[in-house]
Amino acid sequence: MMEEILLVFNSFPQTIEIQTFSKCNADCSICPYESVYGNVKHQYMEMDLIQGIVEQAAENGARRIIPYLNNEPTLDSRFLDILRLCKSTGLEVEISSNGTGLSEKRIQTILEEGLIDDFRVSFFGGQESTYQALMPKLNFQRSLEKIKRLHEMNAAHDSPMDIQLIMVLVEGYDFKKEREAILTHIPDAHVRFFGFLDRAGSVPTRNNNKVICPDNMQSLNYKVIGCKLERHLERMSILNNGNVILCSQDWKQERVLGNVRDSSIKSIWNGDKYLNERRMIHAQITMPTQHICNRCKLAILEDTTGQQTMNFLGDRYVEEDDTKKVGEIL
């Protein structure tokens, strides 16, 4: 069985997420940021460490660098320099941002130098009331003007960036109305809906996680047999302190698999800790009941009859083709 798992992932991660700076400014009600980072001094990752990560990625055949991880990357004063460093290697560069740190000068530089390939903008409400409820520390009108200008300038440069406006399906949220509202402001916007993920139980203000595991895993005889996004097989997530976590859902650093200050990316990726996580996720060895994957809606479950299901109940999710999926209540 070990050989079977080894065949399905490369010897080096194809995508690497880097938290260059731990700060965010939106205080989103669907995010655990304030509860995790609210009382912590914000930390930068040193530029030489970022450079080392990027160089290792380029030398070992990675495909994409994402200088973002559970933060707002445009708040980093080194944002453009980090983008230049990433892009100089020839790797694809992806950014997720709420857009508040985008000045026209920054946008112009990004476009002229071709620094970003995939730009995902968190814009959680097409209507002002929805936006302010979900992103309370930001200002709808100011954010909207920045995102409109981003689209206009991108179009003027023949659209070198793939810009996606990301919205989230949450309880009481009329996604059709929100999409229509944003399209009245930005008619050519590519709007994508993601299902609400409470980061494996880490969002204290939401109680609609409704997962099957871990509470019912014993009585219903379910076990985790995989991950919908397969992050453990293709993507590495590195925090500003150098810690490598299992994936971006692990806000509380429950599954730390190594530290890039002490070890190479390749040695961590192929090390025993990572290998054991993969074996647990694929049910080759026993997964502890309180393992983070048991609390995550992205987990793929299987019952004793071989029937598979996603680990969520009664809420909404999005399929890979962006169509809405309604979770069945068991």
Side-chain angles (χ1 to χ4, degrees):
M1 292 298 290
M2 185 74 68
E3 289 75 18
E4 181 180 347
I5 291 298
L6 289 174
L7 289 174
V8 297
F9 71 94
N10 294 313
S11 61
F12 196 88
Q14 295 300 289
T15 301
I16 298 178
E17 298 175 309
I18 311 171
Q19 187 186 60
T20 67
F21 182 39
S22 62
K23 188 175 183 179
C24 189
N25 60 342
D27 191 18
C28 298
S29 64
I30 56 175
C31 175
Y33 178 85
E34 285 298 319
S35 63
V36 175
Y37 287 111
N39 296 318
V40 177
K41 182 179 179 181
H42 300 299
Q43 299 289 331
Y44 288 90
M45 179 183 284
E46 306 93 317
M47 279 297 291
D48 60 349
L49 183 56
I50 297 172
Q51 181 173 350
I53 293 169
V54 173
E55 289 176 351
Q56 289 181 67
E59 292 167 0
N60 287 277
R63 182 178 62 87
R64 174 169 290 212
I65 286 284
I66 307 176
Y68 153 83
L69 177 59
N70 299 343
N71 69 326
E72 174 46 51
T74 63
L75 298 180
D76 192 328
S77 59
R78 310 164 301 171
F79 181 58
L80 292 179
D81 289 334
I82 291 170
L83 292 178
R84 290 186 180 106
L85 173 61
C86 294
K87 201 60 185 170
S88 68
T89 62
L91 297 170
E92 296 177 1
V93 176
E94 174 188 325
I95 282 291
S96 290
S97 167
N98 59 43
T100 54
L102 292 177
S103 63
E104 284 206 14
K105 184 177 180 180
R106 271 188 166 183
I107 297 171
Q108 188 70 20
T109 300
I110 290 167
L111 291 168
E112 288 179 351
E113 299 184 25
L115 299 180
I116 298 175
D117 300 289
D118 188 347
F119 205 133
R120 303 185 180 189
V121 182
S122 299
F123 202 88
F124 294 158
Q127 300 180 97
E128 184 169 0
S129 58
T130 306
Y131 182 92
Q132 296 298 165
L134 294 180
M135 309 181 82
K137 286 190 177 179
L138 304 183
N139 180 279
F140 174 79
Q141 292 298 334
R142 284 199 294 267
S143 296
L144 178 62
E145 288 307 310
K146 287 179 181 290
I147 304 311
K148 286 174 65 175
R149 192 67 184 125
L150 175 67
H151 277 80
E152 292 168 355
M153 294 175 71
N154 191 49
H157 284 76
D158 297 324
S159 301
M161 290 189 294
D162 178 16
I163 302 174
Q164 303 170 40
L165 295 191
I166 305 301
M167 295 187 177
V168 179
L169 296 168
V170 294
E171 190 174 5
Y173 184 101
D174 187 333
F175 71 98
K176 290 183 179 179
K177 185 178 291 185
E178 299 301 331
R179 183 178 185 276
E180 290 170 358
I182 196 61
L183 291 177
T184 63
H185 300 292
I186 310 174
D188 61 341
H190 175 196
V191 181
R192 292 191 65 194
F193 286 90
F194 287 178
F196 168 67
L197 296 172
D198 80 336
R199 277 63 163 200
S202 297
V203 181
T205 57
R206 297 275 169 174
N207 60 5
N208 61 342
N209 192 41
K210 301 176 184 175
V211 293
I212 298 170
C213 293
D215 292 341
N216 298 317
M217 63 188 302
Q218 302 295 335
S219 60
L220 298 179
N221 295 313
Y222 280 105
K223 62 181 178 181
V224 175
I225 62 163
C227 172
K228 177 73 172 178
L229 298 185
E230 296 191 334
R231 296 296 194 235
H232 60 296
L233 300 176
E234 60 87 23
R235 179 177 299 208
M236 178 178 281
S237 301
I238 308 174
L239 296 175
N240 69 89
N241 61 7
N243 277 348
V244 174
I245 54 175
L246 182 57
C247 75
S248 60
Q249 301 302 301
D250 188 6
W251 278 71
K252 297 180 180 179
Q253 302 183 51
E254 296 178 43
R255 313 300 296 185
V256 176
L257 307 179
N259 190 292
V260 293
R261 299 182 192 276
D262 308 321
S263 306
S264 70
I265 290 173
K266 192 168 188 176
S267 65
I268 295 172
W269 183 250
N270 294 285
D272 288 342
K273 285 187 176 181
Y274 239 123
L275 182 57
N276 283 334
E277 291 296 326
R278 296 186 185 106
R279 294 178 67 196
M280 280 190 279
I281 292 169
H282 289 268
Q284 293 188 347
I285 59 177
T286 301
M287 175 180 286
T289 301
Q290 293 307 313
H291 191 286
I292 188 172
C293 292
N294 283 320
R295 306 194 305 273
C296 181
K297 290 195 283 187
L298 295 170
I300 301 172
L301 307 182
E302 183 178 86
D303 64 19
T304 54
T305 69
Q307 185 70 30
Q308 294 184 10
T309 184
M310 294 289 289
N311 188 25
F312 65 95
L313 294 169
D315 54 357
R316 294 178 291 183
Y317 195 69
V318 178
E319 294 284 20
E320 292 178 358
D321 63 358
D322 294 343
T323 57
K324 185 182 69 164
K325 174 180 178 180
V326 178
E328 297 178 0
I329 299 177
L330 298 184

